[in-house]
Amino acid sequence: MLFAAIYASIASTLTRHDREMQLTELRELAAEYSSNGLPAIEKMLEVKRKFHRQHPFLVRIADAGNRTVDIYLPAPWTEFNTNKLEELVPETQPRWLTLPAIGGDHSLDLASIRLNNGYWLQVGMSSEEKDKNLLRLRATFGIVLGPMVLLGFICGWILAYNVLRPLRNLLFAVKSVQTGNMDAHVPVRGAGDELDELAIHFNKMLQKIAAVLQAMKDCVDNVAHDLRTPVTRLRNLAENALQSPDNAASQHAALASCAEESERINIMLNILLDISEAESGVMQLDYQNIEIYRLVQNIVDAYGLIADDKSIQIQINGDHLLQAMIDPNRMSQALANLLDNAIKYTPAGGKVDIDFYSEKEQAIICIKDDGIGIDSEELPLIWDRLYRGKQNRNQRGLGLGLSQVKAIVLAHHGSIDVASEFGKGSVFKISLPVTNCL
């Protein structure tokens, strides 16, 4: 398109230039004719013929009937049949007459003017030179345009290949996921554009889906593993009751045991589902700006009677104005589990300290007891689901409490650490963002 526009502009300029030259010559000759008549024109043309051999104009004077009176032909103009000019009725501008060349593609362009005596004065110019220049221009364009088109095609193909590469990577990742490969991901180019943003969000979506699927698998595995025992116990209780049809007291005790075991199974399933939701990142949290002191105090009040039964002293220390964006119900579950463990594994007459303070834009909650502590070999395993340590296998519980605590804290974008020495007690430290991500 650019070359076509340039060619059209040059062709138009050349045509306009030639016609302006013709009109200038025409007006000059007409003025000479009006002043001095035909002899002056002939003399003027003779001078031009003598001194301007390259004079490019045909000059023709015709009478009122368009019969040629005199004609000046630049030599050697043999490709035009000038006799046919008597067949072309002259008109004044803006119409231009055209006489095609004999055996050529060019033509003779004529401008006409009527003289005072009714004669016609015509000035013609061959388009041969202009057509040759335009032909050379077209040839030059052709030589230049070919490599440029080829280069443009190659550059366009490379550009399109690079632009579409992220989409091909995305398509490949989608096909991989369809075949069950959740490890697929889309490479991020680092250009920082919308395609990179799409790749980042797509990878996050895949990670989220993989986490949910893994959590579901783990949940199903844990449920299948841990339900075997209580279901077997339920069946034994039912069979024992059926073997004593006349013993109402035995049947009543069996039904009570079945109800208790069913409740235990229900609690375990709910906790496992909570852990799976928290670990997969789909747990719904009701964030509120909560004073840590009030939250801790409510939990301590709930466990006051249990602590009093063992003469365990619970001490609360911290900034009463410390606040954090948390889900109070979920965080109460986590703190209650930790306090329950602290009371459970602390000997009678012991002490439990709950400290909370602010540190590096984190709300810190520490629950410290002087109980039996945790063996160093077991310490990395306490967060596993259904894990029960050597020292607490005879205690009540499901082995899910600490797993639930960790899952809830991580769902709040926090962290939890534990330090323990066997026989001297444990310290659980929860770190929560003061301003949480919503």
Side-chain angles (χ1 to χ4, degrees), residues 1-288:
M1 294 295 293
L2 178 62
F3 282 110
I6 293 174
Y7 177 82
S9 176
I10 292 175
S12 174
T13 301
L14 291 176
T15 301
R16 186 171 60 253
H17 177 263
D18 288 351
R19 292 191 171 183
E20 286 177 355
M21 288 176 60
Q22 284 182 254
L23 292 175
T24 300
E25 183 75 9
L26 182 66
R27 294 189 187 103
E28 183 180 345
L29 292 174
E32 187 67 21
Y33 183 88
S34 298
S35 301
N36 305 308
L38 182 59
I41 294 291
E42 292 175 343
K43 184 177 180 181
M44 189 174 177
L45 293 176
E46 184 62 29
V47 172
K48 289 185 177 182
R49 182 183 293 113
K50 185 175 181 180
F51 298 102
H52 303 282
R53 297 185 180 276
Q54 300 302 321
H55 188 65
F57 301 114
L58 173 146
V59 178
R60 176 175 177 260
I61 298 175
D63 60 15
N66 197 27
R67 290 185 296 273
T68 301
V69 175
D70 196 1
I71 187 167
Y72 165 77
L73 279 175
W77 273 19
T78 58
E79 68 270 32
F80 297 111
N81 184 3
T82 54
N83 294 329
K84 287 196 173 184
L85 293 177
E86 296 183 351
E87 301 175 3
L88 301 175
V89 179
E91 292 184 20
T92 54
Q93 300 176 43
R95 183 184 176 190
W96 288 74
L97 300 177
T98 300
L99 179 64
I102 301 172
D105 295 331
H106 55 286
S107 60
L108 178 67
D109 298 327
L110 290 142
S112 307
I113 189 170
R114 183 179 285 276
L115 301 173
N116 294 334
N117 58 359
Y119 281 24
W120 287 97
L121 174 63
Q122 292 180 318
V123 173
M125 184 176 182
S126 174
S127 66
E128 184 177 9
E129 190 62 28
K130 180 188 69 177
D131 292 344
K132 286 181 179 178
N133 290 333
L134 291 177
L135 180 61
R136 285 194 290 271
L137 183 62
R138 289 197 297 270
T140 303
F141 280 173
I143 295 173
V144 175
L145 193 60
M148 289 189 66
V149 169
L150 180 61
L151 182 63
F153 175 78
I154 295 173
C155 292
W157 183 84
I158 294 174
L159 182 63
Y161 180 84
N162 289 329
V163 168
L164 294 177
R165 180 185 296 171
L167 298 180
R168 283 197 302 274
N169 292 334
L170 182 62
L171 181 62
F172 179 77
V174 171
K175 289 182 178 178
S176 297
V177 171
Q178 287 176 340
T179 60
N181 178 21
M182 299 304 299
D183 294 330
H185 72 284
V186 180
V188 179
R189 301 171 301 157
D193 56 9
E194 287 78 4
L195 291 175
D196 268 0
E197 188 176 357
L198 174 63
I200 292 172
H201 285 291
F202 185 79
N203 289 338
K204 287 182 179 178
M205 182 186 69
L206 288 182
Q207 292 172 0
K208 195 93 170 182
I209 293 174
V212 171
L213 292 178
Q214 186 61 40
M216 291 174 62
K217 181 178 179 300
D218 293 343
C219 183
V220 171
D221 291 345
N222 291 331
V223 169
H225 176 272
D226 212 57
L227 279 183
R228 189 178 297 119
T229 300
V231 169
T232 302
R233 190 178 299 123
L234 279 174
R235 187 185 64 187
N236 291 337
L237 289 170
E239 288 177 351
N240 290 335
L242 291 174
Q243 289 173 1
S244 303
D246 298 330
N247 190 340
S250 176
Q251 290 182 343
H252 183 271
L255 289 174
S257 297
C258 287
E260 183 180 350
E261 202 63 36
S262 298
E263 180 62 19
R264 174 185 166 86
I265 293 173
N266 186 47
I267 293 173
M268 183 178 66
L269 289 175
N270 288 333
I271 294 176
L272 283 172
L273 289 174
D274 286 346
I275 294 173
S276 296
E277 287 182 359
E279 290 182 346
S280 60
V282 297
M283 173 178 276
Q284 298 296 321
L285 297 177
D286 181 20
Y287 282 106
Q288 299 177 29

Side-chain angles (χ1 to χ4, degrees), residues 316-332:
I316 301 175
N317 305 298
D319 180 4
H320 288 202
L321 300 179
L322 178 62
Q323 296 180 342
M325 290 295 293
I326 57 177
D327 183 328
N329 293 326
R330 291 296 186 181
M331 193 52 62
S332 294

Side-chain angles (χ1 to χ4, degrees), residues 257-366:
S257 297
C258 287
E260 183 180 350
E261 202 63 36
S262 298
E263 180 62 19
R264 174 185 166 86
I265 293 173
N266 186 47
I267 293 173
M268 183 178 66
L269 289 175
N270 288 333
I271 294 176
L272 283 172
L273 289 174
D274 286 346
I275 294 173
S276 296
E277 287 182 359
E279 290 182 346
S280 60
V282 297
M283 173 178 276
Q284 298 296 321
L285 297 177
D286 181 20
Y287 282 106
Q288 299 177 29
N289 196 19
I290 298 296
E291 291 182 356
I292 300 298
Y293 170 75
R294 293 179 57 187
L295 184 72
V296 171
Q297 185 63 58
N298 290 336
I299 297 169
V300 171
D301 290 344
Y303 280 85
L305 292 178
I306 300 175
D308 290 343
D309 287 344
K310 295 181 66 176
S311 300
I312 293 175
Q313 180 184 0
I314 301 176
Q315 184 71 38
I316 301 175
N317 305 298
D319 180 4
H320 288 202
L321 300 179
L322 178 62
Q323 296 180 342
M325 290 295 293
I326 57 177
D327 183 328
N329 293 326
R330 291 296 186 181
M331 193 52 62
S332 294
Q333 283 182 286
L335 295 176
N337 274 330
L338 293 177
L339 183 58
D340 182 69
N341 284 343
I343 296 173
K344 188 188 303 179
Y345 299 116
T346 297
K351 181 181 177 183
V352 174
D353 290 316
I354 303 178
D355 301 327
F356 47 91
Y357 52 91
S358 175
E359 181 180 88
K360 297 180 180 179
E361 298 185 353
Q362 299 274 317
I364 310 297
I365 306 174
C366 288

Side-chain angles (χ1 to χ4, degrees), residues 360-382:
K360 297 180 180 179
E361 298 185 353
Q362 299 274 317
I364 310 297
I365 306 174
C366 288
I367 299 179
K368 177 182 178 182
D369 66 71
D370 54 1
I372 61 175
I374 305 171
D375 189 274
S376 59
E377 295 180 356
E378 293 182 325
L379 208 54
L381 307 175
I382 62 173

